[in-house]
Amino acid sequence: MIRIVREEDTEQLRELYAYYVENTAITFEYEVPSAEEFRKRICRTVQRYPYLVSECGGVINGYAYAGVFHERSAYDWAVETSIYVAENAAKKGIGKELYMSLEQALALQHIINLNACIAYPVREDPYLTKNSVQFHEHMGYRLVGQFHKCGYKFGRWYDMVWMEKCISHHPEHPQEVRSFDEIRNELHQTVIYG
C-alpha cells in the first residue's frame, strides 16, 4: 500500500534510512539523524510537497518525497526527488510504485521538472554501485550533469550526478503551483492511499 506519511512513521523511516547512512555512500550524510531531527525533516517536507511511504503488514519498506530544488520563485515548477527502499525489499517493484505515485502527486501540484541528485562511483565498490542511476534511467530520467570527486565517505571520493525528468510540457504561462494540502483529497481519490 502506498500512502501519505504519518508522524508516527518517523522511527521506522529513520531506521530504514540509517542502513544507508551507516553502510553506503548512497547518502553523503555521515551520522544518522536523531528521531527528532528526522521528524522535523518530514514535517518541513509535507508543508509543501508529498512524502509517501510503501507499507506492507504494518512494516514500511520504502519511502519517496520531493523537496525544494531552489528557493527562488522562478524554480517553483521544479523539485528534487528522493527515494529509499529497504535493503531486504529491493528489486520488488516498490521503488517504481513509489516514484509513479510521487509523480502523480507532483502533477496534481502542477510541478513539471523532477531532479534527482545521485551519488555516483567512478568504479563500483562495496559502498556504492550505479544501481540508482540505472533505476532513474528506467523511470525516464536522463543525465544532465556530473560533479567529480565532490563527496568523501568511507575513505573514498565519489562523484555526484544530476538527473532530470519532465512530467509535462512547459507552457508559456504555467499554472500556479498548488500546495500539498490542496491536493491531499485528490490523492485519496486518484491513487490507492491509506
Side-chain angles (χ1 to χ4, degrees):
M1 173 176 68
I2 305 291
R3 62 170 175 78
I4 297 168
V5 73
R6 301 177 189 132
E7 196 169 329
E8 57 265 27
D9 297 330
T10 298
E11 193 50 45
Q12 276 196 71
L13 295 175
R14 182 178 164 273
E15 287 175 18
L16 193 158
Y17 181 65
Y19 169 81
Y20 290 98
V21 174
E22 295 170 344
N23 301 288
T24 79
I26 288 172
T27 173
F28 285 167
E29 197 155 16
Y30 280 14
E31 302 291 330
V32 177
S34 68
E36 180 58 20
E37 171 57 25
F38 206 88
R39 186 192 66 75
K40 286 179 183 176
R41 291 179 187 185
I42 293 168
C43 291
R44 273 194 303 270
T45 298
V46 297
Q47 286 175 3
R48 190 167 174 183
Y49 298 114
Y51 197 126
L52 307 177
V53 302
S54 172
E55 178 184 38
C56 183
V59 176
I60 293 174
N61 50 34
Y63 65 97
Y65 61 93
V68 173
F69 178 63
H70 199 290
E71 287 291 345
R72 303 253 164 86
S73 297
Y75 292 102
D76 281 355
W77 294 268
V79 295
E80 182 179 346
T81 58
S82 296
I83 185 166
Y84 291 91
V85 175
E87 181 199 16
N88 62 358
K91 302 197 185 296
K92 295 181 179 176
I94 293 166
K96 182 178 179 179
E97 282 183 17
L98 278 166
Y99 250 19
M100 288 173 57
S101 297
L102 184 65
E103 285 181 22
Q104 289 177 331
L106 293 168
L108 288 172
Q109 287 187 278
H110 306 145
I111 300 295
I112 299 171
N113 289 52
L114 311 184
N115 303 283
C117 177
I118 302 168
Y120 189 77
V122 175
R123 281 189 285 314
E124 293 189 19
D125 63 38
Y127 304 108
L128 188 63
T129 67
K130 297 179 180 176
N131 286 351
S132 187
V133 166
Q134 292 161 350
F135 167 75
H136 282 81
E137 286 173 343
H138 179 73
M139 294 302 298
Y141 285 70
R142 65 184 183 91
L143 184 68
V144 292
Q146 183 166 355
F147 295 86
H148 302 279
K149 296 183 179 179
C150 61
Y152 184 78
K153 190 170 179 181
F154 302 124
R156 301 158 193 234
W157 287 103
Y158 293 102
D159 290 0
M160 183 271 286
V161 298
W162 277 103
M163 298 185 78
E164 172 188 67
K165 179 178 182 178
C166 298
I167 56 174
S168 77
H169 69 286
H170 291 84
E172 188 173 339
H173 301 288
Q175 293 179 284
E176 187 175 328
V177 174
R178 300 167 71 197
S179 73
F180 184 54
D181 278 341
E182 288 179 87
I183 67 159
R184 276 180 188 263
N185 288 336
E186 289 174 67
L187 281 179
H188 287 288
Q189 294 165 10
T190 58
V191 186
I192 300 171
Y193 288 87

